[in-house]
Amino acid sequence: MTRVAFVAALLAVLLAGCGHAVSGTATWPGARLERAVLTEADFPPGVRYERMMQGQGDGPGPAPPMLSRPAGCTDALTRDIADTAEYGAGSAIEYVATYDGARMVVSVLSWPLNLERLQATAQRCAAYRTFFDPSDPGIAMTTTRLQTPRPDALVYEQTMHLPRAESSVYFSFENVGSIGVFGIAFPAPDPSIAVKGTLPQTFLELLSKQAERAEAV
């Protein structure tokens, strides 16, 4: 497998599991989430905004997790959410906002995230290696918490350290009262979009705005 293919597969694993949309008709608490979620009107004209359909994830589905040392780090954060999720009609709303330079997937949840568990996982996987086969030297990964304007939010930069380059994705986890907000962002250059986004700044601005909206309901 070429290095480019390796990196592409790894990014697919990092992004797997970020969808929490469920099937059914949104009633309470779904009605409350509708008031809590940002809409297309909250973004600058030209940003591509898409609400995920009920039961639809962001992509064809989770890729099989790659091996890691320590074990289980490649999909640990998203697996923590899946293991503690509440399912049912109206339990989550998910949307995607895409700028030239940043694609961000945000889930607004009717249940709070287990932030202690997520923080412990991030600390356990602060430095690890990921690979397809035990004989493969793999790629070094780091998970680093970022300082943000909202001190109670857990925001992490997860970086692949390649010999000649680095590539990062960003995760954000926050509880706003009984509402959980989970976001993931990754670089996505697209000159056809007039509005430019820069990571992690655009991501942090989006999550702050989303949390403020949730606080208001």
Side-chain angles (χ1 to χ4, degrees):
M1 175 175 289
T2 67
R3 182 171 299 280
V4 171
F6 188 101
V7 172
L10 180 54
L11 281 173
V13 171
L14 290 174
L15 298 173
C18 62
H20 297 282
V22 294
S23 60
T25 302
T27 56
W28 186 265
R32 182 181 181 218
L33 291 189
E34 287 289 350
R35 299 193 302 272
V37 72
L38 294 178
T39 67
E40 186 172 7
D42 294 302
F43 293 85
V47 172
R48 290 180 185 166
Y49 175 93
E50 179 185 7
R51 277 277 295 269
M52 306 304 293
M53 299 297 292
Q54 294 287 335
Q56 176 186 356
D58 184 44
M66 293 169 63
L67 301 172
S68 69
R69 189 181 301 113
C73 283
T74 52
D75 63 344
L77 293 171
T78 52
R79 191 174 63 250
D80 280 351
I81 294 178
D83 288 348
T84 60
E86 296 180 6
Y87 297 97
S91 65
I93 293 176
E94 182 179 75
Y95 61 88
V96 181
T98 307
Y99 293 66
D100 178 13
R103 178 175 170 84
M104 298 166 287
V105 184
V106 177
S107 296
V108 182
L109 315 169
S110 65
W111 39 274
L113 296 164
N114 187 334
L115 297 181
E116 291 184 357
R117 173 172 173 172
L118 288 162
Q119 187 170 21
T121 295
Q123 291 173 346
R124 182 177 72 85
C125 297
Y128 66 95
R129 298 191 74 85
T130 184
F131 41 87
F132 284 103
D133 185 90
S135 61
D136 186 344
I139 289 179
M141 303 285 300
T142 56
T143 305
T144 306
R145 185 173 180 182
L146 303 181
Q147 297 300 313
T148 68
R150 298 181 65 84
D152 293 335
L154 298 177
V155 181
Y156 296 100
E157 178 180 10
Q158 197 162 76
T159 304
M160 293 183 291
H161 299 275
L162 303 172
R164 298 181 181 177
E166 293 184 346
S167 180
S168 295
V169 296
Y170 299 86
F171 296 86
S172 178
F173 312 92
E174 184 175 3
N175 289 327
V176 183
S178 61
I179 292 176
V181 179
F182 164 47
I184 184 170
F186 54 99
D190 188 342
S192 69
I193 301 175
V195 186
K196 293 190 177 296
T198 303
L199 295 176
Q201 290 85 354
T202 304
F203 184 51
L204 297 178
E205 292 169 2
L206 168 57
L207 269 297
S208 291
K209 191 171 185 178
Q210 177 56 76
E212 290 168 1
R213 174 65 55 82
E215 287 175 337
V217 301

